[in-house]
Amino acid sequence: MDSLCPFYPLRSVIRCIAKTNLTVTPEACSSGLIWDEALFTELAATYLKPSLQPALATGYRSRDEASAVESELADVLVKTYQHILEQRENEQVQLLNSLL
């Protein structure tokens, strides 16, 4: 049933899904990556700006459509977080950081 009021993806839900995927799921436990709350908070705040993610400001006809967008954005947030942590462990990146 379609609602007269549009449904919007919620940043808090996106953060919750991403954090769960990074800390609670079996894949997260087996990845060996260390949780960095400050990095996650900063990344989520930067990534989930409506100016960068127009889908956050778009109204959808159903809660299911908005949930699909939340899941998609959470997946990208998880992959970005994992990529940053993996790069942090890279010897070349560490060497370049030490030069700074």
Side-chain angles (χ1 to χ4, degrees):
M1 181 169 121
D2 289 339
S3 172
L4 297 176
C5 298
F7 294 89
Y8 292 91
L10 302 173
R11 287 185 290 245
S12 59
V13 171
I14 296 166
R15 285 190 302 268
C16 184
I17 292 169
K19 193 171 187 177
T20 299
N21 288 341
L22 288 165
T23 59
V24 178
T25 61
E27 297 82 20
C29 296
S30 66
S31 71
L33 296 176
I34 297 172
W35 177 248
D36 185 337
E37 182 71 34
L39 172 64
F40 180 78
T41 301
E42 183 66 29
L43 181 61
T46 302
Y47 177 71
L48 296 176
K49 290 181 181 178
S51 60
L52 294 175
Q53 299 301 332
L56 290 172
T58 303
Y60 295 90
R61 291 180 298 172
S62 71
R63 183 71 209 139
D64 289 340
E65 288 180 25
S67 293
V69 171
E70 291 167 348
S71 294
E72 182 181 317
L73 292 175
D75 287 343
V76 173
L77 184 57
V78 165
K79 289 176 182 154
T80 303
Y81 176 87
Q82 290 172 331
H83 179 73
I84 290 170
L85 282 186
E86 289 166 1
Q87 289 301 312
R88 187 186 280 178
E89 300 296 321
N90 185 313
E91 288 181 33
Q92 287 180 327
V93 171
Q94 289 178 359
L95 177 63
L96 291 172
N97 283 338
S98 68
L99 294 174
L100 295 174

